[in-house]
Amino acid sequence: MNDVNKKYLWKLIQLTGDSLNDRLPDHPNHPNGRNLYAHVGLKVKNRFGKSYKDLPDEKMNEVISYLNILIRTEGI
């Protein structure tokens, strides 16, 4: 993925993480709270098999759609 798209997706990942604040359940492996950005990044990696940085530019719209799904459903 080119640098412009990487920066744009990272910003969207941050916004997605921010939207999940207080919506994710507590977890015993994270006694000091969860890293929302890492959570979203891991969800993207699990869904697409690669880090968002390693995906081709053609997947950008698909990643954006997935982030929108996470905003609507994650932690509910």
Side-chain angles (χ1 to χ4, degrees):
M1 188 161 293
N2 70 47
D3 287 340
V4 172
N5 287 345
K6 281 185 212 178
K7 287 178 185 179
Y8 182 72
L9 280 181
W10 175 242
K11 186 64 178 169
L12 291 179
I13 287 171
Q14 290 176 310
L15 291 171
T16 302
D18 291 343
S19 76
L20 298 178
N21 193 23
D22 296 328
R23 289 179 53 199
L24 294 179
D26 291 335
H27 194 278
N29 290 346
H30 304 284
N32 296 326
R34 297 175 78 160
N35 180 332
L36 300 173
Y37 309 137
H39 176 80
V40 174
L42 184 58
K43 292 292 242 180
V44 169
K45 187 174 183 176
N46 288 340
R47 168 72 169 84
F48 295 95
K50 295 180 181 181
S51 167
Y52 74 97
K53 296 182 260 183
D54 297 327
L55 292 171
D57 290 321
E58 295 77 26
K59 291 280 188 184
M60 187 160 170
N61 287 333
E62 196 175 337
V63 174
I64 292 169
S65 294
Y66 183 65
L67 292 175
N68 286 323
I69 290 169
L70 289 179
I71 289 170
R72 290 192 311 267
T73 62
E74 195 69 14
I76 297 174

